[in-house]
Amino acid sequence: MATQEELQEKGKAAVMDFDEDAVVEVAEECISAGLDPVALIQEGFTAGMNEIGDQFEQGTLFLPHVIAASEAMSAGVEVLTPELEKLSTKSENKGTIAIGTIEGDIHTIGKDIVATMLKIAGFNVINLGRDVPIADYVNAVKENKPDILGSSALMTTTMVLQTQVEEQLKEAGLRDGVKTMVGGAPVTQDWANKIGADIYAENAADAVTKCKAAME
Ligand code: HCB
């Protein structure tokens, strides 16, 4: 039987081979062997997607490859999601978090993993979807009064719009009533500090830790 590390390597390789069946098999093996699904997503599938992204940037892979790899990863995450939900804390609601991928950006995989992990940790999560207009973030705060508003940006061209979330919340007089969280591959702690976001999360586990701390 594979160890956690071996399974992660297999998961990474399967994503890099654009092999949806193999990714699903690895996810099923993770469940039957009682191994850690979170580590498989983070250290296996995500590591594979990052390599695909690098090769796309270098021009050795093309958009159809990225699409195929992301479909393979999503299929694996889908198999693991019910397993993740079993880890859910059944305690009282830890707070409400609205999260979406920023205007102009259709990358959803990471944002959805963050949303799932926050739900599992006991938060009430409102998933705003992708390509979310800045006005919709503001409306989500007005209507749902979340404790935390999260945005995800995967491109340097769209992360700049996270500034707009801060500014338009201030203009609407809502900024003091909500904490903001930013994340996504190009986003850093420095960027969060620069735009005045309350929380920067590097990955889903970090988002859970920091959102819990923010609610204390
Ligand atoms: Co896309 N793409 N892509 N892409 N894509 C990137 C992001 C590039 C970096 C690839 C590259 O060039 N190296 C690049 C962006 C360059 C830039 O910065 N300007 C890029 C580009 C250019 C594009 C298109 C413009 C390509 C084109 O059409 N010519 C186009 C975008 C169109 C648009 O948005 N308007 C495009 C399209 C696609 C898809 C559709 C093929 C596919 C997305 C499928 C989907 O999401 N349903 C895709 C993918 C998969 C990628 C890469 C390869 C992987 C992204 C991913 O899913 N990673 C990515 C390269 C990369 O990021 N290394 C590439 C895995 C997840 C789990 O990691 O970082 O998203 P994550 O999320 C983490 C973490 O950041 C954090 O937690 C997550 C879980 O641990 N987190 C948050 C994320 N959001 C958070 C929010 C919070 O509040 C807190 C934490």
Side-chain angles (χ1 to χ4, degrees):
M1 193 177 286
T3 64
Q4 181 73 43
E5 284 70 27
E6 284 165 353
L7 200 73
Q8 286 163 198
E9 278 309 310
K10 267 168 84 174
K12 179 178 171 183
V15 168
M16 292 182 69
D17 286 343
F18 328 109
D19 190 339
E20 189 170 322
D21 291 344
V23 174
V24 166
E25 247 172 58
V26 170
E28 285 168 351
E29 192 180 339
C30 176
I31 296 168
S32 60
L35 295 174
D36 181 355
V38 179
L40 174 59
I41 291 174
Q42 196 58 43
E43 312 301 331
F45 300 159
T46 302
M49 283 308 302
N50 286 340
E51 296 264 351
I52 294 285
D54 291 346
Q55 292 183 32
F56 175 66
E57 199 173 357
Q58 287 154 15
T60 50
L61 287 182
F62 301 97
L63 200 55
H65 299 110
V66 182
I67 294 172
S70 67
E71 282 172 0
M73 172 162 178
S74 296
V77 172
E78 203 180 310
V79 171
L80 293 173
T81 300
E83 211 52 30
L84 293 171
E85 282 169 359
K86 285 189 201 154
L87 303 172
S88 175
T89 343
K90 298 276 178 248
S91 60
E92 67 191 271
N93 178 12
K94 290 208 169 55
T96 297
I97 301 182
I99 184 165
T101 303
I102 203 96
E103 193 169 323
D105 200 321
I106 61 165
H107 295 88
T108 52
I109 300 174
K111 179 265 297 169
D112 287 337
I113 292 173
V114 173
T116 302
M117 294 296 292
L118 288 169
K119 206 170 127 195
I120 289 161
F123 288 94
N124 168 35
V125 178
I126 302 166
N127 193 333
L128 302 172
R130 65 182 187 176
D131 189 12
V132 178
I134 309 304
D136 288 6
Y137 284 98
V138 176
N139 287 336
V141 173
K142 260 187 215 154
E143 285 164 21
N144 305 299
K145 303 196 172 24
D147 302 286
I148 299 171
L149 177 69
S151 62
S152 177
L154 264 289
M155 299 192 287
T156 47
T157 47
T158 54
M159 72 185 245
V160 291
L161 291 169
Q162 291 177 323
T163 317
Q164 288 290 316
V165 174
E166 297 295 326
E167 283 171 8
Q168 292 197 24
L169 283 174
K170 277 184 207 149
E171 278 168 27
L174 296 166
R175 182 61 184 89
D176 292 341
V178 67
K179 290 197 190 308
T180 55
M181 172 171 70
V182 289
V187 177
T188 59
Q189 181 66 60
D190 279 353
W191 174 248
N193 295 345
K194 191 172 169 195
I195 69 171
D198 299 301
I199 304 167
Y200 159 67
E202 188 184 355
N203 54 42
D206 196 29
V208 169
T209 307
K210 289 179 176 166
C211 288
K212 278 187 185 165
M215 295 305 294
E216 274 162 13

